[in-house]
Amino acid sequence: MRSPRRCSRNGCPRQAVATLTYVYNESTAVVGPLAAFAEPHTYDLCEPHARSLTAPRGWDVVRHEGEFEPPPPTTDDLVALAEAVREAARPAPRPPEPDQGHDNPHQTGRRGHLRVIPPNH
């Protein structure tokens, strides 16, 4: 399961609940609900940083007025969690038992995806 997105501010350990986007041609900073996906030119912010953001002089800030809430788990998160639980519940594979009935020391052996080929005599 992937971990929740964290605030983009340096040293902030809190979970992101908002996304900051700069609209450069309009000199505007937009703070809205957390985007579904992290984008390269946006910034994820926790609630305190989303509420206290200021923009450079001459810029406007458009801020979401409602509550910032963490996103609900996605179907992908739930499927990943279910797969992790299934994997943890599987019994460990039994080690292979050694062949005891063969006297030929130059036989071809197999280990996983590799194969041991004896030298030619």
Side-chain angles (χ1 to χ4, degrees):
M1 187 163 92
R2 58 175 192 232
S3 61
R5 287 167 29 202
R6 298 284 174 205
C7 183
S8 296
R9 296 290 299 261
N10 286 338
C12 183
R14 292 185 284 263
Q15 182 178 0
V17 295
T19 297
L20 166 64
T21 306
Y22 289 108
V23 183
Y24 292 99
N25 63 349
E26 295 180 18
S27 299
T28 304
V30 180
V31 180
L34 188 64
F37 299 100
E39 296 290 332
H41 299 290
T42 62
Y43 303 91
D44 294 338
L45 299 174
C46 63
E47 182 150 6
H49 285 126
R51 297 272 179 223
S52 65
L53 178 88
T54 59
R57 188 174 305 173
W59 282 57
D60 294 319
V61 176
V62 176
R63 193 180 328 266
H64 174 72
E65 292 299 322
E67 293 294 317
F68 289 114
E69 296 180 12
T74 65
T75 304
D76 292 341
D77 293 337
L78 297 175
V79 169
L81 178 59
E83 288 296 324
V85 169
R86 279 190 208 110
E87 183 67 28
R90 286 190 184 120
R94 295 176 59 172
E97 295 186 20
D99 284 344
Q100 297 174 356
H102 299 281
D103 293 331
N104 183 0
H106 298 291
Q107 69 184 20
T108 302
R110 198 162 175 86
R111 278 194 123 165
H113 65 283
L114 302 176
R115 197 170 67 181
V116 178
I117 301 175
N120 292 333
H121 287 293

